Amino acid sequence: MTIAPRRAALFAAVLLSLGLAACQREAAPADAPAPAANAAPEANPAPITDQPSESVPPATAPVSNPPPAASDTQARFDGYGDMRFGMSAEQAKKAWGGELKGKPPADGGCYYLQPIWVTNPRDFGFMIEDGKFVRLDVGNDKETAPGGGKRGMSAAEIDKLYAGRAERQNHKYVQGGHYLRVSDSGGAGTLVFETDATGKVASWHIGVPPQVDYVEGCG
């Protein structure tokens, strides 16, 4: 069969068009399409693991050289804590920094100021005479005298602690008891231990003469 020249030309043009379309469908893009400019970021981005971790110091750094422990006594040959013998009663109260109970007698004589926690008057007290702080009396086991003496120690232990400085005198009221009197080597203060019949320290007081030698305290 013979195809007319006009029809042959039309048929060739259709074949060429179909061939070009097939080539376009088979060709793959060289690069992936770029993301849209307004694309939303990832909700939970992966953490960056190639960064060095920050060193976080502990909440409280250890102390290599802790401060020394506080002394177990506030008693001194010249007073107690911030209180000094010779202070007026008001100055002594201010130096104590807390409430003290006790009032001067009507005749203005000797009396004691004591912390509110004291229940036994013989346990602890600050002697006031002529309006001045002159002596500290201790009858409990907690307080320590300057030099290390305490209630309950033996007379031999007191002699050893104070290197033979304790002058021994017979007790006025206790048979077999003694007063062990230790004078301050650099001041007017004097420390007196009172021992019972067994030779144990029953109480002690420290102050300045003449009040430190009052046997009955303010009695």
Side-chain angles (χ1 to χ4, degrees), residues 36-199:
N38 59 351
E42 294 181 21
N44 294 303
I48 300 174
T49 58
D50 60 347
Q51 297 297 323
S53 60
E54 183 179 357
S55 178
V56 180
T60 303
V63 180
S64 57
N65 294 307
S71 172
D72 60 353
T73 181
Q74 296 189 68
R76 307 158 49 107
F77 272 100
D78 63 351
Y80 184 87
D82 293 332
M83 304 167 72
R84 296 291 178 269
F85 298 132
M87 281 184 170
S88 69
E90 291 306 315
Q91 289 173 326
K93 288 178 181 179
K94 186 175 181 181
W96 172 256
E99 185 178 352
L100 293 172
K101 58 186 179 181
K103 295 180 180 180
D107 60 3
C110 175
Y111 68 102
Y112 283 94
L113 290 174
Q114 295 175 314
I116 57 175
W117 44 263
V118 172
T119 56
N120 185 343
R122 294 182 178 272
D123 280 351
F124 190 88
F126 305 113
M127 181 187 286
I128 308 294
E129 188 172 59
D130 296 330
K132 294 181 179 181
F133 171 43
V134 291
R135 169 171 153 170
L136 165 70
D137 285 49
V138 176
N140 64 66
D141 300 330
K142 297 179 181 180
E143 297 287 337
T144 304
K150 295 186 68 172
R151 184 176 183 271
M153 285 185 171
S154 67
E157 288 175 307
I158 296 299
D159 284 334
K160 184 176 180 180
L161 276 176
Y162 297 92
R165 292 165 52 203
E167 178 186 352
R168 189 181 298 251
Q169 300 172 354
N170 291 331
H171 201 288
K172 184 177 180 179
Y173 297 108
V174 179
Q175 184 70 30
H178 292 90
Y179 302 110
L180 305 178
R181 194 174 188 275
V182 182
S183 297
D184 183 11
S185 57
T190 300
L191 170 62
V192 179
F193 296 97
E194 297 188 33
T195 67
D196 59 19
T198 67

Side-chain angles (χ1 to χ4, degrees), residues 127 129-130 134-135 181 188 205 207-215 217:
M127 181 187 286
E129 188 172 59
D130 296 330
V134 291
R135 169 171 153 170
R181 194 174 188 275
H205 55 271
V208 292
Q211 292 87 357
V212 73
D213 293 314
Y214 289 177
V215 176

